[in-house]
PDB file of all heavy atoms in Angstrom:
ATOM      1  N   ILE A 105      96.403 154.702 -35.607  1.00 94.00           N
ATOM      2  CA  ILE A 105      95.262 153.927 -36.124  1.00 94.00           C
ATOM      3  C   ILE A 105      94.955 154.409 -37.533  1.00 94.00           C
ATOM      4  O   ILE A 105      94.639 155.571 -37.740  1.00 94.00           O
ATOM      5  CB  ILE A 105      94.036 153.971 -35.211  1.00 94.00           C
ATOM      6  CG1 ILE A 105      92.908 153.052 -35.743  1.00 94.00           C
ATOM      7  CG2 ILE A 105      93.580 155.367 -34.849  1.00 94.00           C
ATOM      8  CD1 ILE A 105      93.186 151.605 -35.627  1.00 94.00           C
ATOM      9  N   ARG A 106      94.928 153.536 -38.541  1.00 90.00           N
ATOM     10  CA  ARG A 106      94.860 153.924 -39.900  1.00 90.00           C
ATOM     11  C   ARG A 106      93.592 153.513 -40.511  1.00 90.00           C
ATOM     12  O   ARG A 106      93.420 153.449 -41.768  1.00 90.00           O
ATOM     13  CB  ARG A 106      96.066 153.402 -40.697  1.00 90.00           C
ATOM     14  CG  ARG A 106      97.350 153.916 -40.287  1.00 90.00           C
ATOM     15  CD  ARG A 106      98.588 153.507 -41.076  1.00 90.00           C
ATOM     16  NE  ARG A 106      99.783 154.158 -40.649  1.00 90.00           N
ATOM     17  CZ  ARG A 106     100.208 155.353 -41.098  1.00 90.00           C
ATOM     18  NH1 ARG A 106      99.433 155.989 -41.960  1.00 90.00           N
ATOM     19  NH2 ARG A 106     101.344 155.950 -40.602  1.00 90.00           N
ATOM     20  N   HIS A 107      92.559 153.215 -39.744  1.00 89.00           N
ATOM     21  CA  HIS A 107      91.270 152.844 -40.205  1.00 89.00           C
ATOM     22  C   HIS A 107      90.118 153.625 -39.523  1.00 89.00           C
ATOM     23  O   HIS A 107      90.356 154.346 -38.495  1.00 89.00           O
ATOM     24  CB  HIS A 107      90.956 151.361 -39.881  1.00 89.00           C
ATOM     25  CG  HIS A 107      91.867 150.447 -40.630  1.00 89.00           C
ATOM     26  ND1 HIS A 107      91.755 150.081 -41.909  1.00 89.00           N
ATOM     27  CD2 HIS A 107      92.964 149.663 -40.164  1.00 89.00           C
ATOM     28  CE1 HIS A 107      92.656 149.232 -42.259  1.00 89.00           C
ATOM     29  NE2 HIS A 107      93.396 148.963 -41.175  1.00 89.00           N
ATOM     30  N   VAL A 108      88.972 153.640 -40.097  1.00 93.00           N
ATOM     31  CA  VAL A 108      87.735 154.070 -39.514  1.00 93.00           C
ATOM     32  C   VAL A 108      87.088 152.906 -38.943  1.00 93.00           C
ATOM     33  O   VAL A 108      86.409 152.149 -39.634  1.00 93.00           O
ATOM     34  CB  VAL A 108      86.864 154.880 -40.393  1.00 93.00           C
ATOM     35  CG1 VAL A 108      85.536 155.312 -39.707  1.00 93.00           C
ATOM     36  CG2 VAL A 108      87.562 156.136 -40.976  1.00 93.00           C
ATOM     37  N   VAL A 109      87.272 152.576 -37.630  1.00 92.00           N
ATOM     38  CA  VAL A 109      86.841 151.289 -37.073  1.00 92.00           C
ATOM     39  C   VAL A 109      85.424 151.345 -36.644  1.00 92.00           C
ATOM     40  O   VAL A 109      84.905 152.420 -36.412  1.00 92.00           O
ATOM     41  CB  VAL A 109      87.788 150.870 -35.927  1.00 92.00           C
ATOM     42  CG1 VAL A 109      89.228 150.743 -36.359  1.00 92.00           C
ATOM     43  CG2 VAL A 109      87.672 151.864 -34.767  1.00 92.00           C
ATOM     44  N   ASN A 110      84.854 150.176 -36.514  1.00 91.00           N
ATOM     45  CA  ASN A 110      83.536 149.980 -35.779  1.00 91.00           C
ATOM     46  C   ASN A 110      83.689 148.883 -34.838  1.00 91.00           C
ATOM     47  O   ASN A 110      84.743 148.212 -34.787  1.00 91.00           O
ATOM     48  CB  ASN A 110      82.438 149.853 -36.798  1.00 91.00           C
ATOM     49  CG  ASN A 110      82.695 148.593 -37.680  1.00 91.00           C
ATOM     50  OD1 ASN A 110      82.969 147.576 -37.248  1.00 91.00           O
ATOM     51  ND2 ASN A 110      82.446 148.846 -39.012  1.00 91.00           N
ATOM     52  N   GLN A 113      84.469 145.452 -36.644  1.00 88.00           N
ATOM     53  CA  GLN A 113      85.520 145.362 -37.584  1.00 88.00           C
ATOM     54  C   GLN A 113      86.695 144.532 -37.051  1.00 88.00           C
ATOM     55  O   GLN A 113      87.169 144.714 -35.944  1.00 88.00           O
ATOM     56  CB  GLN A 113      85.998 146.802 -38.007  1.00 88.00           C
ATOM     57  CG  GLN A 113      87.146 146.752 -39.063  1.00 88.00           C
ATOM     58  CD  GLN A 113      87.515 148.095 -39.457  1.00 88.00           C
ATOM     59  OE1 GLN A 113      86.920 149.124 -39.065  1.00 88.00           O
ATOM     60  NE2 GLN A 113      88.584 148.221 -40.329  1.00 88.00           N
ATOM     61  N   SER A 148      92.942 160.863 -39.517  1.00 96.00           N
ATOM     62  CA  SER A 148      91.898 161.787 -39.959  1.00 96.00           C
ATOM     63  C   SER A 148      90.960 162.015 -38.763  1.00 96.00           C
ATOM     64  O   SER A 148      91.059 161.222 -37.815  1.00 96.00           O
ATOM     65  CB  SER A 148      91.097 161.196 -41.120  1.00 96.00           C
ATOM     66  OG  SER A 148      90.460 160.037 -40.734  1.00 96.00           O
ATOM     67  N   ALA A 150      87.816 161.507 -38.836  1.00 96.00           N
ATOM     68  CA  ALA A 150      86.886 160.326 -38.887  1.00 96.00           C
ATOM     69  C   ALA A 150      87.557 159.124 -38.128  1.00 96.00           C
ATOM     70  O   ALA A 150      86.859 158.443 -37.354  1.00 96.00           O
ATOM     71  CB  ALA A 150      86.519 159.976 -40.269  1.00 96.00           C
ATOM     72  N   SER A 151      88.869 158.925 -38.416  1.00 96.00           N
ATOM     73  CA  SER A 151      89.541 157.782 -37.827  1.00 96.00           C
ATOM     74  C   SER A 151      89.600 158.040 -36.327  1.00 96.00           C
ATOM     75  O   SER A 151      89.376 157.128 -35.494  1.00 96.00           O
ATOM     76  CB  SER A 151      90.961 157.676 -38.376  1.00 96.00           C
ATOM     77  OG  SER A 151      91.665 156.720 -37.793  1.00 96.00           O
ATOM     78  N   ALA A 154      86.023 157.661 -34.559  1.00 95.00           N
ATOM     79  CA  ALA A 154      85.572 156.217 -34.460  1.00 95.00           C
ATOM     80  C   ALA A 154      86.302 155.492 -33.340  1.00 95.00           C
ATOM     81  O   ALA A 154      85.773 154.744 -32.633  1.00 95.00           O
ATOM     82  CB  ALA A 154      85.728 155.515 -35.835  1.00 95.00           C
ATOM     83  N   VAL A 269      83.843 153.460 -47.811  1.00 93.00           N
ATOM     84  CA  VAL A 269      83.141 154.272 -46.780  1.00 93.00           C
ATOM     85  C   VAL A 269      83.903 154.155 -45.446  1.00 93.00           C
ATOM     86  O   VAL A 269      83.478 154.791 -44.490  1.00 93.00           O
ATOM     87  CB  VAL A 269      81.710 153.842 -46.667  1.00 93.00           C
ATOM     88  CG1 VAL A 269      80.848 154.088 -47.931  1.00 93.00           C
ATOM     89  CG2 VAL A 269      81.595 152.370 -46.246  1.00 93.00           C
ATOM     90  N   GLN A 270      84.930 153.399 -45.343  1.00 90.00           N
ATOM     91  CA  GLN A 270      85.751 153.250 -44.170  1.00 90.00           C
ATOM     92  C   GLN A 270      87.196 153.663 -44.381  1.00 90.00           C
ATOM     93  O   GLN A 270      88.110 153.166 -43.693  1.00 90.00           O
ATOM     94  CB  GLN A 270      85.668 151.850 -43.537  1.00 90.00           C
ATOM     95  CG  GLN A 270      84.310 151.494 -42.920  1.00 90.00           C
ATOM     96  CD  GLN A 270      84.349 150.183 -42.300  1.00 90.00           C
ATOM     97  OE1 GLN A 270      84.349 149.131 -42.919  1.00 90.00           O
ATOM     98  NE2 GLN A 270      84.367 150.098 -40.969  1.00 90.00           N
ATOM     99  N   GLU A 271      87.379 154.554 -45.338  1.00 91.00           N
ATOM    100  CA  GLU A 271      88.722 154.974 -45.652  1.00 91.00           C
ATOM    101  C   GLU A 271      89.260 155.801 -44.477  1.00 91.00           C
ATOM    102  O   GLU A 271      88.692 156.820 -44.039  1.00 91.00           O
ATOM    103  CB  GLU A 271      88.695 155.889 -46.918  1.00 91.00           C
ATOM    104  CG  GLU A 271      90.036 156.032 -47.534  1.00 91.00           C
ATOM    105  CD  GLU A 271      90.558 154.753 -48.230  1.00 91.00           C
ATOM    106  OE1 GLU A 271      90.069 154.340 -49.287  1.00 91.00           O
ATOM    107  OE2 GLU A 271      91.463 154.169 -47.596  1.00 91.00           O
ATOM    108  N   GLY A 272      90.516 155.353 -43.954  1.00 93.00           N
ATOM    109  CA  GLY A 272      91.059 156.121 -42.863  1.00 93.00           C
ATOM    110  C   GLY A 272      91.651 157.419 -43.243  1.00 93.00           C
ATOM    111  O   GLY A 272      91.692 158.417 -42.489  1.00 93.00           O
ATOM    112  N   GLY A 293      83.468 158.155 -43.970  1.00 93.00           N
ATOM    113  CA  GLY A 293      84.864 157.995 -43.649  1.00 93.00           C
ATOM    114  C   GLY A 293      85.629 159.334 -43.613  1.00 93.00           C
ATOM    115  O   GLY A 293      85.042 160.403 -43.436  1.00 93.00           O
ATOM    116  N   ALA A 294      86.867 159.191 -44.008  1.00 95.00           N
ATOM    117  CA  ALA A 294      87.679 160.447 -44.040  1.00 95.00           C
ATOM    118  C   ALA A 294      87.602 161.236 -45.342  1.00 95.00           C
ATOM    119  O   ALA A 294      88.075 162.397 -45.375  1.00 95.00           O
ATOM    120  CB  ALA A 294      89.168 160.023 -43.765  1.00 95.00           C
TER     121      ALA A 294
END
Side-chain angles (χ1 to χ4, degrees):
I105 181 75
R106 297 184 175 274
H107 295 283
V108 177
V109 300
N110 57 48
Q113 182 177 352
S148 62
S151 177
V269 296
Q270 287 186 286
E271 197 71 75

